DNA sequence: TGACATTGGTGCCGAATTGGTACTAATTCG
DNA sequence: CGAATTAGTACCAATTCGGCACCAATGTCA
């Protein structure tokens, strides 16, 4: 007996993340009147012959008014939990939006990750997993750079890392490690941010580097 | 205009991984006569009201004759590439099978990851992504422990890490880091493996530990 | 039976990395 | 001009890392 496909209902649920005044924020859209919850993630079914990221881009554009530059797959969910459109399977996609980019359209609004309104249970799971994925990949994916404008100060970058990791970082160590990674290069612009010394602007420009990694880290969470 | 679901064909493609004589091996099943390729990943459509991991467990059991203990989601694929069952969307799931566990059923066989036969393009992608995901999560997920029997020697464990990371590890450093991680505990059994001093057997038993992580690592790949 | 090969496990030490404090630099505010 | 504020760096002690050497326990073979 060889396998055969069956028809399933599928939804792409998009978690647009952006740093917003010292917290990570998620973009939610207002649901139709009469729905069980007032807010939901932007979502839709993928159109025929449309890739998942294309679908995510389309959905994001509809809610944020800007095409997103970076995606991170969160994974497929097929628990029994309720989805706003009753899709059998959800594919969660995290979209990273640079701080201050895009203006939410009429029925969309930013919510701090720590203070979300009630969501359909499936969407709640997708958000949680998206946040976890992004946080876990901070040091393997250029996640932090995609939450910043094309040029940024090193303090901006460190602030994003601290947001994502949820802890303070040592300034000198952070810069030493960044230097050694060849991930950024300085521009010749400087930014004066009100008071204090102006900061040099950098851009994300990863260079080839020999993968001279050292010892193993056992960073398992005690699950 | 609010979103609506559409019907799509969906496949769960399973990548069963197991260490096999010094390489990672993948379980493939023979395809029906007349198919474009002679081998494919074990796959099927999820049944109604079946979770993704349930489906993966069922598919694995059908090919390996043993229920798998550990899953790692690889993600959903919806590129235009060809799938053996022409599914619109594939969900890749990596299943970790302890070394020597299970006996492939009639039409299934282990292939070293580095020497796979021709596969449908979509399956090829799924395998590559599964391997990449497992390798990347080695130090965040108990991946290595799921590729070993319940008790194992530290040399076994180090060998798996080396397989996954693709490089030698320093013995003393490896053990120091492992010690500090409180992930394993010794049993009072010893195993004599032919010649040489017998090795103490350990089991995976993660303990709570304060998350005293240090500096950031910028381990981005030069993509 | 006793050297030797083989594998397991640990101690030591110089080198590299880390994180804290303190310092200098450049700017705004009053 | 001096105080306040933010950027960036220098130094240094403590920790961690990685290489080497060593000891331990077993099987092999003369």
């Amino acid at each position: 007996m060889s396998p055969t496909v069956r028809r399933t209902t599928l939804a792409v649920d998009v978690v647009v993340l952006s740093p917003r005044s010292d917290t990570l924020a998620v973009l939610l859209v207002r649901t139709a009147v009469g729905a069980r919850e007032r807010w939901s993630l932007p979502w839709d079914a993928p159109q025929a012959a449309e890739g998942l990221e294309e679908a995510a881009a389309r959905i994001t554009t509809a809610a944020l008014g800007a095409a997103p530059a970076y995606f991170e797959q969160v994974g497929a969910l097929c628990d029994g939990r309720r989805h706003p459109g009753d899709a059998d399977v959800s594919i969660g996609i995290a979209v990273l939006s640079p701080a201050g980019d895009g203006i939410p359209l009429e029925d969309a609004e930013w919510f701090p990750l720590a203070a979300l309104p009630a969501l359909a249970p499936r969407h709640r799971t997708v958000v949680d997993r998206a946040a976890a994925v992004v946080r876990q990949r901070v040091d393997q994916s250029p996640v932090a750079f995609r939450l910043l404008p094309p040029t940024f100060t090193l303090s901006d970058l460190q602030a994003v890392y601290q947001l994502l990791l949820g802890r303070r970082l040592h300034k000198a160590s952070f810069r030493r490690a960044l230097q050694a990674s060849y991930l950024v290069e300085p521009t010749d612009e400087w930014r004066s941010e009100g008071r204090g010394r102006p900061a040099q602007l950098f851009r994300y420009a990863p260079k080839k580097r020999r993968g001279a990694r050292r010892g193993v880290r056992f960073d398992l969470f005690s699950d």
Side-chain angles (χ1 to χ4, degrees), chain A residues 148-206:
Chain A
L148 288 170
T151 64
F152 47 83
T153 70
L154 296 188
S155 297
D156 291 343
L157 184 62
Q158 185 175 343
V160 169
Y161 268 91
Q162 292 182 162
L163 253 189
L164 292 173
L165 296 173
R167 63 199 170 96
R168 297 280 178 81
L169 295 174
H170 182 67
K171 184 165 57 163
S173 298
F174 181 80
R175 291 176 185 220
R176 244 187 324 230
L178 189 61
Q179 182 103 21
S181 73
Y182 297 102
L183 289 177
V184 299
E185 67 182 17
T187 69
D188 40 7
E189 288 176 280
W190 296 72
R191 189 174 65 197
S192 186
E193 182 81 36
R195 48 195 173 285
R197 170 175 172 176
Q200 187 165 18
L201 291 176
F202 288 76
R203 81 166 60 86
Y204 177 57

Side-chain angles (χ1 to χ4, degrees), chain A residues 68-107:
Chain A
Y70 195 76
F71 308 89
E72 193 88 22
Q73 265 230 24
V74 171
L77 266 92
C78 175
D79 44 10
R81 320 188 65 176
R82 182 165 49 82
H83 181 272
D86 290 318
D88 296 320
V89 177
S90 280
I91 294 174
I93 297 195
V95 161
L96 304 183
S97 177
D101 231 39
I103 297 145
L105 298 190
E106 198 177 344
D107 280 330

Side-chain angles (χ1 to χ4, degrees), chain A residues 112-134:
Chain A
L113 198 49
L116 294 181
L119 294 174
R122 176 93 62 79
H123 273 182
R124 183 74 229 185
T125 310
V126 172
V127 170
D128 291 342
R129 285 181 53 163
V133 163
V134 168

